[in-house]
Amino acid sequence: MSDEKTYRSYGVTKLDDNYRISLNIKWLGQLCIAISALVYGYLQITNRIGDLERRMELANTNIAELVEKHIEEEEVKITRMQEQLKWYEEELNLNPLSWGKRKKKRK
């Protein structure tokens, strides 16, 4: 019982007379596959996070450009509306008390 070997395994160390650690080749292969899967998963996650960060930066840039464009359009629209309001105030006098004054100025 002292030098007993199991199928496809090697005795690594002997801790005590009654306790023996053996390393099974199948178990070692599964351990390597599990570690490889964990490393692959970690790399996939870090690549995905990096890609998402780049996309967020691009989206933020696009949003900032659209906001600037919207602000410029709004400023042009407000300027146009102020000009129209000024024209309506000059041409269409809706105050009935000043209608007589307006006619006097035109004569």
Side-chain angles (χ1 to χ4, degrees):
M1 190 167 170
S2 62
D3 286 333
E4 186 179 310
K5 290 186 179 180
T6 59
Y7 176 69
R8 298 181 111 184
S9 64
Y10 296 99
V12 177
T13 185
K14 204 176 222 187
L15 296 175
D16 195 5
D17 287 338
N18 297 328
Y19 188 71
R20 180 183 174 132
I21 297 176
S22 62
L23 185 62
N24 193 346
I25 293 175
K26 182 181 177 184
W27 181 78
L28 183 62
Q30 290 174 344
L31 183 64
C32 289
I33 290 172
I35 290 173
S36 299
L38 288 173
V39 169
Y40 179 75
Y42 173 77
L43 292 175
Q44 288 293 335
I45 289 172
T46 55
N47 289 338
R48 175 82 174 163
I49 290 172
D51 186 42
L52 290 174
E53 287 175 348
R54 285 188 293 276
R55 285 184 185 177
M56 282 298 296
E57 190 64 35
L58 180 63
N60 287 340
T61 304
N62 289 341
I63 289 171
E65 290 173 358
L66 290 173
V67 166
E68 289 176 12
K69 181 180 176 184
H70 180 69
I71 289 172
E72 291 173 0
E73 289 175 355
E74 286 295 318
E75 289 174 352
V76 169
K77 185 177 177 182
I78 289 172
T79 305
R80 219 177 325 129
M81 288 175 65
Q82 287 175 346
E83 291 173 358
Q84 288 177 351
L85 181 64
K86 185 177 177 184
W87 180 83
Y88 283 121
E89 286 175 350
E90 290 175 358
E91 296 297 321
L92 299 175
N93 190 5
L94 299 178
N95 186 359
L97 297 175
S98 65
W99 287 347
K101 294 178 184 177
R102 188 113 173 126
K103 291 179 182 176
K104 291 180 185 177
K105 287 183 180 178
R106 290 186 180 186
K107 289 183 179 179

